[in-house]
Amino acid sequence: MLTFGLVALILVAAGLVYQLRPKPIQRVRGPPSPSFLLGHEHAISSQNEVGDLEFEWLRTYGPTWRIRGEFGASPATPSIHVLMTADPKALQHIYHKSGYNYTKRRSVIVMAEIMAGPGIAVALGKDHQRHRKIMNPAFSAAHLRTFLPLFQRIGAKMVEQWKTDLSGAERMIILVNKWLSCATMDIIGEAAFDYQYGALDKGAGSPIMKAYDNLFSDPNKPSATVALFRAMWNYIPIPVLRLFRLIPAEPFMRLRNLRGLFTEYGKQILREQRADTDMEKESKSKDVMSLLIKANSSADPQTHLSEAEIIAEMFSLTLAGHETTGSTLTFLTYELAKHPDYQARMRKEIQDRRAFVMSRGDTSFNTEDLDSLTLTMNAIKETLRFHPIVTYLPRVATKDDVIPLAYPIISTTGEIISEISVRAGQVIFPSFMAYQRLKDVWGEDADVWNPDRWLRPEIGKQTKLGVFANLMSFSAGVQACIGWKFSLIEMQALLTEILENFELSLPEEKLTIRRVPAAGFGMIPMVEGREDLGTAMPLQVSLVQQ
Ligand code: HEM
Ligand SMILES: *[C@@H]1O[C@H](CO)[C@@H](O)[C@H](O)[C@H]1NC(C)=O
Ligand SMILES: *[C@@H]1O[C@H](CO)[C@@H](O)[C@H](O)[C@H]1NC(C)=O
């Protein structure tokens, strides 16, 4: 703690020196800092409801503003300020036009590496390109189609369990987030590496599932000490940071245990799969891991991954693909419970398509059927817009640059700014949450959940941004989500299963759901006054009357 204080002090002193130099970013207006050491970062990750601060700043300063970073200073950063922006042109510049020139923040990379190992989310530049090149075929449209039966099987399994739990009663209240989290976990296990997490079966027989559950069992807000500790990661060389994983304290010990299990299991798969390849048996496996292992036997060194990297990919896919999809669906079902009319229209569209599929002689939807369900797709788009699970993603400029703005802002001295010059090392928080509420982009009713906005021809067409529907929810550019299409089909499939069988409504007892900041820039639903439940979304379900 003493060294920690000393380091903090030196950094603060260094910051003061820097502060004396005039910087263009200082001309951007922003809120006064609540704390010199913690800046606004801690305030953002501990606000009552995600978006409260961002929306207030958006109203006050326009789509681009300046906040103060943690520590108030950093030798790695020429500015004690963090640029926060929801401006579509700025986002386009940072994510799309600059390639790897705006990089991930060190604390984020190190956290990802400590958690998942040297996988795709940690790799940068050329190394990252190699990971993407090897992973991409597994996420092609053609290959993703082969996962649909898996999505439908797990969806049907979940719905059957609801029916069993209902045991003749007219309705019941469920924690829908828990169910969706289990379903998406089982799906990613099988799709990524043919592993049965057994989450829907209460984790029966899966040590990895148990260890994983324990990892996130601590829903507490980040304390100020933890926030500072994490902030320090941005200023320590990466090789030193790697040693952090040896710290004999939680959550590092739990993490080590979990990664140990993943490695053990990964090595076992690798042995089995290699034996398969040796026997020249055409492996039937469609999971991502099998494809990676097959790719590795080719001659092209560009398609090689080390054992540690392949194992890290398994865990990265689990971490990236599970709670993100589960939470998005959780908020989607919540909105459907709040909007019974829309839910009824959506169900009608699904039922009509079902009749068509039956008349065709088929029993299940194919991807074309799912894509024809416009109301379902619009509900998915609207939920991604309104409830972006990743609310912002820090980026760091690797060189001096000028960031253009679509919506000029007023400077501290009253001039109009339409370009901001930044120095190498400048930290930027692109706010997906605020971008997706811009009235100029999404319409005057941007602050309400209204899937029918997607029927308006002009919506989402103004700026070319992101990988899907001009949304930033999956991030954008070279390091965007690789699983966005996977997750769309997964959500389509699970929603049709749910809506054909169940009606969703709010519990009679009036509860307030809060979107609580989690893990830095994520968010989870919690029941006001029942924070002891942790992540919770109680909904009432009843069988659809045939
Ligand atoms: C609604 C669901 C999802 C959301 C909102 C989401 C969001 C994101 C975001 C914002 C990133 C960028 C992270 C960063 O730059 O640090 C990302 C990356 C990633 N996502 Fe997703 N994701 C979703 C579902 C999935 C699924 C289902 C998978 C896997 C099947 C997946 C796999 C990944 C991977 C591997 C990366 C790292 C990509 C890279 O660094 O090149 N995601 N996701
Ligand atoms: C990134 O920066 C380098 C060095 O300034 C530059 O040559 C390159 O064109 C930039 N890349 C992109 C995609 O803008
Ligand atoms: C992939 O191939 C390379 C080069 O042949 C090898 O060093 C590496 O161990 C292989 N990785 C796996 C996971 O088999």
Side-chain angles (χ1 to χ4, degrees):
M1 213 52 212
L2 191 65
T3 9
F4 172 73
L6 216 64
V7 172
L9 214 71
I10 294 168
L11 293 172
V12 169
L16 282 174
V17 173
Y18 276 117
Q19 197 181 16
L20 296 177
R21 297 208 239 147
K23 297 290 174 296
I25 193 181
Q26 289 184 329
R27 291 170 51 209
V28 176
R29 293 185 305 159
S33 180
S35 144
F36 188 74
L37 261 193
L38 291 166
H40 290 99
E41 279 183 58
H42 184 59
I44 291 174
S45 59
S46 57
Q47 58 189 321
N48 188 47
E49 170 109 18
V50 163
D52 279 356
L53 286 174
E54 290 91 328
F55 300 150
E56 186 191 318
W57 294 333
L58 180 64
R59 277 193 301 273
T60 313
Y61 307 106
T64 303
W65 61 90
R66 167 174 58 96
I67 60 171
R68 200 179 276 254
E70 268 162 343
F71 270 161
S74 140
T77 310
S79 167
I80 59 171
H81 305 293
V82 170
L83 184 67
M84 206 156 182
T85 185
D87 187 286
K89 202 164 168 187
L91 295 176
Q92 195 181 47
H93 178 85
I94 293 166
Y95 285 92
H96 288 282
K97 298 204 167 149
S98 304
Y100 293 99
N101 284 345
Y102 287 86
T103 190
K104 294 184 183 182
R105 213 180 185 192
R106 200 179 299 184
S107 53
V108 175
I109 298 173
V110 170
M111 192 60 193
E113 175 158 1
I114 288 180
M115 294 199 71
I120 187 166
V122 175
L124 297 173
K126 276 222 151 39
D127 211 24
H128 179 257
Q129 275 175 336
R130 177 175 55 95
H131 280 264
R132 279 302 274 233
K133 190 169 175 193
I134 302 166
M135 301 269 270
N136 275 340
F139 292 92
S140 67
H143 192 248
L144 290 180
R145 222 170 284 142
T146 67
F147 288 135
L148 180 57
L150 163 68
F151 301 158
Q152 286 165 331
R153 172 162 53 81
I154 300 290
K157 180 171 177 178
M158 179 180 77
V159 164
E160 279 315 304
Q161 292 188 352
W162 291 9
K163 287 182 184 166
T164 310
D165 284 2
L166 202 55
S167 63
E170 204 173 314
R171 57 177 74 97
M172 65 177 176
I173 292 180
I174 59 171
L175 286 177
V176 73
N177 59 297
K178 292 249 175 347
W179 286 101
L180 292 167
S181 167
C182 288
T184 51
M185 188 74 174
D186 283 346
I187 284 173
I188 199 70
E190 282 197 40
F193 48 105
D194 200 16
Y195 181 74
Q196 313 274 339
Y197 280 115
L200 278 174
D201 303 314
K202 314 284 179 277
S206 162
I208 298 188
M209 190 65 218
K210 283 206 187 74
Y212 191 92
D213 257 354
N214 285 335
L215 189 60
F216 300 109
S217 57
D218 191 9
N220 294 330
K221 282 184 176 183
S223 71
T225 327
V226 170
L228 270 175
F229 182 66
R230 214 185 286 144
M232 254 171 64
W233 296 11
N234 289 311
Y235 313 109
I236 299 173
I238 287 189
V240 178
L241 277 178
R242 293 212 170 103
L243 301 176
F244 277 29
R245 66 179 198 280
L246 304 176
I247 294 172
E250 299 302 358
F252 299 99
M253 281 156 66
R254 271 185 291 201
L255 259 172
R256 226 164 27 245
N257 172 32
L258 179 55
R259 268 189 68 186
L261 290 170
F262 262 105
T263 307
E264 192 183 308
Y265 182 72
K267 290 204 159 134
Q268 186 191 325
I269 307 186
L270 283 172
R271 272 197 305 275
E272 285 167 9
Q273 294 266 355
R274 283 203 191 108
D276 271 4
T277 331
D278 289 349
M279 287 188 294
E280 307 250 326
K281 198 166 54 180
E282 192 44 50
S283 161
K284 293 187 303 298
S285 312
K286 293 262 186 267
D287 59 277
V288 177
M289 249 317 241
S290 308
L291 293 194
L292 299 186
I293 294 170
K294 260 180 251 159
N296 202 58
S297 55
S298 88
D300 180 2
Q302 264 291 306
T303 63
H304 288 170
L305 287 177
S306 71
E307 201 170 287
E309 285 170 337
I310 288 211
I311 290 172
E313 271 10 330
M314 288 186 347
F315 196 6
S316 308
L317 287 171
T318 300
L319 283 175
H322 154 235
E323 217 54 90
T324 43
T325 312
S327 302
T328 303
L329 277 172
T330 294
F331 282 108
L332 206 165
T333 52
Y334 173 57
E335 294 295 349
L336 291 180
K338 288 208 308 196
H339 298 87
D341 292 350
Y342 193 86
Q343 185 187 150
R345 283 168 57 208
M346 203 168 135
R347 180 175 297 106
K348 174 83 168 47
E349 190 184 48
I350 297 170
Q351 286 167 338
D352 288 351
R353 188 72 189 190
R354 175 67 71 189
F356 172 76
V357 167
M358 303 285 264
S359 72
R360 194 171 70 200
D362 284 338
T363 47
S364 35
F365 288 141
N366 58 32
T367 45
E368 269 157 52
D369 296 322
L370 293 179
D371 287 340
S372 77
L373 303 172
T374 309
L375 297 178
T376 296
M377 188 44 95
N378 287 352
I380 293 174
K381 285 180 183 169
E382 184 66 350
T383 305
L384 287 166
R385 181 189 75 83
F386 200 75
H387 298 292
I389 295 309
V390 176
T391 64
Y392 72 96
L393 266 183
R395 282 291 184 266
V396 183
T398 56
K399 54 171 198 128
D400 296 355
D401 196 20
V402 174
I403 299 178
L405 302 179
Y407 303 106
I409 49 168
I410 300 181
S411 79
T412 46
T413 49
E415 303 137 281
I416 291 186
I417 306 182
S418 53
E419 284 181 335
I420 298 166
S421 65
V422 294
R423 301 271 306 273
Q426 176 62 53
V427 178
I428 301 163
F429 286 1
S431 172
F432 304 164
M433 178 68 84
Y435 160 67
Q436 285 169 185
R437 294 293 183 92
L438 291 182
K439 295 195 163 68
D440 285 309
V441 177
W442 307 103
E444 278 307 310
D445 59 348
D447 284 329
V448 296
W449 187 88
N450 172 20
D452 286 329
R453 89 176 59 253
W454 295 90
L455 298 171
R456 302 176 202 155
E458 76 281 7
I459 284 304
K461 296 222 161 68
Q462 296 83 341
T463 29
K464 284 278 156 280
L465 218 48
V467 288
F468 174 63
N470 277 330
L471 295 166
M472 283 300 292
S473 309
F474 294 113
S475 188
V478 285
Q479 303 186 85
C481 178
I482 202 173
W484 67 272
K485 183 81 184 153
F486 179 106
S487 124
L488 288 183
I489 305 175
E490 180 180 6
M491 290 194 276
Q492 287 173 314
L494 292 178
L495 282 170
T496 51
E497 291 292 340
I498 294 172
L499 287 197
E500 278 192 291
N501 290 284
F502 280 91
E503 270 179 40
L504 307 162
S505 53
L506 295 174
E508 265 154 42
E509 180 195 355
K510 206 169 146 26
L511 305 169
T512 306
I513 302 293
R514 278 199 298 132
R515 302 191 304 181
V516 178
F521 35 74
M523 65 177 197
I524 53 172
M526 280 192 177
V527 179
E528 181 91 55
R530 289 305 311 274
E531 286 76 8
D532 57 301
L533 292 174
T535 312
M537 180 68 83
L539 288 185
Q540 182 169 271
V541 296
S542 57
L543 280 176
V544 168
Q545 302 306 318
Q546 299 299 340

